[in-house]
Amino acid sequence: MNFNSVIVIFYNRLYNPLVIKELKKNFKSVYSLFIDEGKICDIEEIELECMAAGADYFIYKDYRAEFSHNIIAKAIKANAVYQDGYHLSAALSRPALAEAAVEVAEELGVDYIAHQFRGNDQARMDMNIEILGKKPLASLRNFPYTDKDAYEYACNYGIPLEFGCNNPYSTSENMWGLTIECGNLEHPDRVVPEDVKQVVTRTAKDNAEPIVVSVTFEKGIPVKLNNEEKELHQIIKELNVIGGNYLTGVFDMVEDGIVGLKSRAIYQSPAAHILITAHKQLELFCSNRNENWFKETIDKKWTEMVYSGLWYDPLMDHLNAFIDSMNLSVNGVINLEVGRNYVNVISRYSDTSIYDPMMAIYNCGHLYSQSDSEGFSRIFNIHSKCSAIKKRK
């Protein structure tokens, strides 16, 4: 193994050049790695900035298909929404970044992988890289440069001061969603600032009429959009455009962080909100009551594990095994109406659903006599009746 080299995962254009300069003090070779998870960026300009800062090599790795098939697909099947608003866009990204970086590190024979995360993401990245057999370096943990240093460097070298590069907000974005934190958002009693609103509404269309979207699932995974077969990352990309037009999947929430401290964030996840809404309804349609009740518990635990960075914990294997098993019967089509700030399921179809119109609650009187229900009515929750009567006395 080459202990003289390090791979640094690109995160944002503000800190990245100074991180490279700092790593060059301790490593002979610095590989700057851009992992594409679906965020729209000018790759050529980023490469120039990395090389100008002193990187010896620039590597572009397209990880959109792997991110969608290996990670996001599991989130869809698990109906993953943390505390009713966060679709785990950043939390799901971190194991993907770790996997992609380790793949490159294995090919190059490099042991050290540096990242540029703080807060919850620092714990997620450190843990995942180490589990995969490499040595993580949190570049900003002992960063000797101030924000002023970073801004001055960016100005001197013509690096654009992009929104969300700690000025004053912090953002994370990939195909599964956008996160905006810090700045005035740290005060929950204040309304969302105008500059944040402008980012969230940047693609919204005024007075757009609601539209109908059709999603086809096979074993719980989206395979068609509007009856046209597509790769999952392509479906996500198109739904992000559609949902973005209608401000779909925007949430302002205060959540419980990994260590329990609360933080406020604005989330925008159009495709995630549409697909998980569709999947959850199809799953309910195709599964029986006991399966659906228990699945809620499994989904909640799966989501909490991912949020906490425990992607490789053995429990995840057991949870995924149950989720995969249950989703074998989640096949069919969900039609949704997408309008401004809402997504509603308007119809559903499945060959594997247990729903039978002749067995619907008001159509199955031919199966039994009304008198048959007398005994059931007497014994149904008799323990609750006895307890209630005793307490009333």
Side-chain angles (χ1 to χ4, degrees):
M1 289 293 184
N2 185 353
F3 291 94
N4 294 318
S5 301
V6 62
I7 292 172
V8 56
I9 302 171
F10 173 85
Y11 181 55
N12 71 46
R13 297 171 75 171
L14 181 62
Y15 289 102
N16 189 66
L18 293 181
V19 166
I20 291 172
K21 284 184 174 296
E22 189 64 16
L23 290 170
K24 283 292 291 183
K25 296 177 182 178
N26 299 307
F27 291 91
K28 183 177 179 181
S29 298
V30 174
Y31 295 85
S32 181
L33 174 62
F34 184 96
I35 301 168
D36 190 347
E37 294 182 302
K39 179 182 177 180
I40 299 175
C41 295
D42 191 324
I43 307 300
E44 292 184 358
E45 284 192 8
I46 290 173
E47 179 179 3
L48 288 173
E49 293 164 10
C50 292
M51 300 304 290
D56 298 284
Y57 309 94
F58 179 84
I59 301 171
Y60 168 81
K61 188 172 182 65
D62 187 348
Y63 217 63
R64 290 173 294 179
E66 291 86 349
F67 182 35
S68 60
H69 284 289
N70 300 340
I71 293 179
I72 291 177
K74 289 182 172 63
I76 294 171
K77 290 191 287 185
N79 302 311
V81 184
Y82 183 72
Q83 296 189 333
D84 298 326
Y86 176 35
H87 291 83
L88 301 178
S89 54
L92 288 165
S93 161
R94 305 326 177 214
L97 291 174
E99 285 181 0
V102 168
E103 287 179 10
V104 174
E106 290 289 349
E107 293 171 2
L108 298 175
V110 175
D111 269 347
Y112 292 90
I113 297 176
H115 63 82
Q116 302 173 39
F117 294 107
R118 292 184 274 202
N120 290 337
D121 287 327
Q122 181 181 162
R124 293 167 182 149
M125 289 300 295
D126 284 355
M127 190 181 343
N128 289 337
I129 291 171
E130 195 166 13
I131 287 171
L132 293 174
K134 299 300 177 181
K135 297 175 181 176
L137 298 175
S139 302
L140 301 184
R141 190 175 290 150
N142 299 304
F143 198 53
Y145 301 100
T146 65
D147 287 344
K148 183 180 178 181
D149 294 331
Y151 292 136
E152 288 179 352
Y153 183 94
C155 292
N156 290 337
Y157 287 88
I159 298 173
L161 298 177
E162 295 179 324
F163 177 89
C165 291
N166 289 72
N167 56 345
Y169 306 106
S170 176
T171 66
S172 177
E173 186 174 11
N174 56 59
M175 70 172 72
W176 203 231
L178 166 68
T179 303
I180 307 175
E181 297 176 294
C182 303
N184 282 330
L185 294 175
E186 293 179 342
H187 302 278
D189 59 324
R190 298 180 185 175
V191 299
V192 177
E194 285 302 317
D195 51 354
V196 175
K197 286 183 181 178
Q198 289 174 8
V199 171
V200 172
T201 62
R202 64 192 185 277
T203 61
K205 293 184 177 179
D206 293 333
N207 304 318
E209 290 295 321
I211 61 169
V212 174
V213 173
S214 172
V215 183
T216 303
F217 292 82
E218 289 183 4
K219 297 180 181 179
I221 299 175
V223 294
K224 292 182 182 179
L225 180 62
N226 295 329
N227 297 317
E228 186 176 347
E229 192 168 336
K230 298 177 182 292
E231 293 293 324
L232 180 54
H233 67 91
Q234 295 172 329
I235 292 175
I236 292 169
K237 182 178 180 180
E238 291 191 29
L239 286 178
N240 275 329
V241 174
I242 294 171
N245 292 339
Y246 293 92
L247 286 180
T248 301
V250 177
F251 297 89
D252 176 348
M253 60 180 290
V254 175
E255 70 195 49
D256 295 311
I258 288 180
V259 298
L261 299 177
K262 293 187 181 294
S263 63
R264 184 192 188 191
I266 306 300
Y267 293 113
Q268 184 181 36
S269 303
H273 187 51
I274 293 170
L275 289 175
I276 288 181
T277 298
H279 174 269
K280 189 170 186 177
Q281 287 301 311
L282 183 61
E283 188 176 64
L284 288 168
F285 185 50
C286 294
S287 310
N288 75 19
R289 182 178 68 169
N290 290 328
E291 289 176 312
N292 288 324
W293 284 357
F294 189 64
K295 180 66 160 41
E296 289 182 0
T297 301
I298 297 298
D299 288 346
K300 185 173 184 293
K301 187 61 180 177
W302 191 96
T303 300
E304 291 171 350
M305 294 284 285
V306 171
Y307 185 89
S308 298
L310 302 174
W311 184 258
Y312 297 104
D313 189 278
L315 177 57
M316 289 294 287
D317 293 332
H318 304 306
L319 296 176
N320 282 319
F322 174 82
I323 291 169
D324 289 343
S325 175
M326 188 160 160
N327 272 270
L328 291 175
S329 63
V330 183
N331 309 291
V333 180
I334 292 287
N335 293 311
L336 312 101
E337 181 179 271
V338 181
R340 194 169 183 87
N341 298 120
Y342 75 87
V343 177
N344 291 330
V345 173
I346 56 175
S347 65
R348 51 192 66 71
Y349 171 80
S350 174
D351 284 331
T352 53
S353 171
I354 63 173
Y355 184 91
D356 183 346
M358 297 306 297
M359 291 285 285
I361 190 168
Y362 294 112
N363 289 337
C364 58
H366 65 284
L367 297 176
Y368 57 84
S369 169
Q370 288 296 318
S371 61
D372 292 340
S373 65
E374 183 177 355
F376 173 77
S377 296
R378 287 184 180 277
I379 65 173
F380 180 68
N381 285 340
I382 190 171
H383 58 286
S384 295
K385 182 178 72 175
C386 292
S387 300
I389 291 173
K390 186 173 182 179
K391 287 182 178 181
R392 286 177 64 85
K393 288 183 179 179

